[in-house]
Amino acid sequence: MYKDIVFDLGGVIVDVHVERAVNSFRALGVHDAAKLIDASHHKDIFIDFETGKIDTEEFCEMLSKHVGKPLARADIESAWMSIIDPPPQYKLNYISELRRQHRIFILTNNNPIIIGRVRSNGYCPDGKPLTAYIDKMYVSYEMKCCKPDAEIFRIMTADAGFNPAETLYIDDSPANTAAAAALGFQTLTVANGTDWREKLPL
């Protein structure tokens, strides 16, 4: 039915823990972390980081100014990584099976700290980078725009050569799947932290 399948990262392949991340950043002195961190669309310097308006060094500097004290980059990176769990192996195995008949992609609103880890050896339970399981990853900070902006879907479509009618897009955000559907993609909205394998219309 589908030639290509595009997964969101957080909330689909990996579980998202917003409250855990909020608590991690609060521990660093970011007392308004609950206003800045959102499961699908961060605010202020957090969204600037995810849309590539500022790089990692600038984010760390601006966050230090925000809290009024110098913050160690390692502590900031640890706080960011607390928002997601590593991918469960059963999902990776399933994606590997899908890849035998489909091209597999990821489209994610994300930042260099998390994506650097995701793309590194040792991230997955089997020691591989997540990119070993897919054909390509599209990331908001590299594309200078984020979901649910239609532009990020258009850039991805042009680069990958998608026919949206033959492409399934999977996300945990109804706003993001609605944006994809408006551009002709077939879509599936799943809940964060669930096993969605039997829900895929394949």
Side-chain angles (χ1 to χ4, degrees):
M1 184 181 299
Y2 305 105
K3 178 181 178 181
D4 304 312
I5 303 175
V6 184
F7 292 93
D8 180 27
L9 177 60
V12 180
I13 296 178
V14 299
D15 294 349
V16 172
H17 301 276
V18 172
E19 189 61 30
R20 191 167 70 190
V22 166
N23 290 335
S24 295
F25 277 102
R26 278 178 176 162
L28 296 182
V30 186
H31 301 299
D32 56 348
K35 296 180 180 180
L36 300 172
I37 300 170
D38 184 86
S40 58
H41 201 84
H42 300 315
K43 306 294 189 301
D44 297 334
I45 63 172
F46 282 73
I47 193 62
D48 287 347
F49 194 29
E50 295 210 330
T51 52
K53 293 180 180 178
I54 56 176
D55 61 21
T56 302
E57 183 177 349
E58 290 170 319
F59 177 80
C60 293
E61 290 177 355
M62 294 174 74
L63 192 65
S64 293
K65 290 180 181 178
H66 183 74
V67 302
K69 63 180 180 181
L71 298 175
R73 176 165 171 164
D75 291 337
I76 294 173
E77 291 179 351
S78 178
W80 266 118
M81 292 309 303
S82 72
I83 201 170
I84 58 173
D85 288 332
Q89 192 64 46
Y90 79 84
K91 287 186 178 179
L92 298 176
N93 293 342
Y94 185 66
I95 290 171
S96 293
E97 290 296 317
L98 292 175
R99 200 177 180 195
R100 294 181 179 183
Q101 297 182 350
H102 308 275
R103 292 195 301 166
I104 303 294
F105 301 84
I106 289 174
L107 175 65
T108 178
N109 288 350
N110 232 306
N111 63 70
I113 291 174
I114 291 178
I115 295 304
R117 182 75 180 98
V118 164
R119 286 172 168 162
S120 67
N121 290 328
Y123 178 68
C124 295
D126 59 3
K128 298 177 182 178
L130 183 57
T131 47
Y133 289 90
I134 64 173
D135 291 277
K136 188 167 183 177
M137 181 182 294
Y138 292 94
V139 187
S140 60
Y141 80 86
E142 295 173 335
M143 301 166 80
K144 309 301 182 184
C145 54
C146 66
K147 298 177 290 183
D149 188 340
E151 184 63 15
I152 197 168
F153 292 97
R154 294 192 183 103
I155 293 171
M156 176 183 67
T157 297
D159 183 77
F162 290 145
N163 176 351
E166 297 178 348
T167 305
L168 177 63
Y169 178 69
I170 305 164
D171 201 302
D172 65 319
S173 165
N176 293 343
T177 51
L183 294 172
F185 285 85
Q186 304 301 306
T187 64
L188 175 65
T189 305
V190 300
N192 177 44
T194 62
D195 180 356
W196 36 256
R197 289 175 294 177
E198 293 185 359
K199 296 182 179 180
L200 264 65
L202 300 174

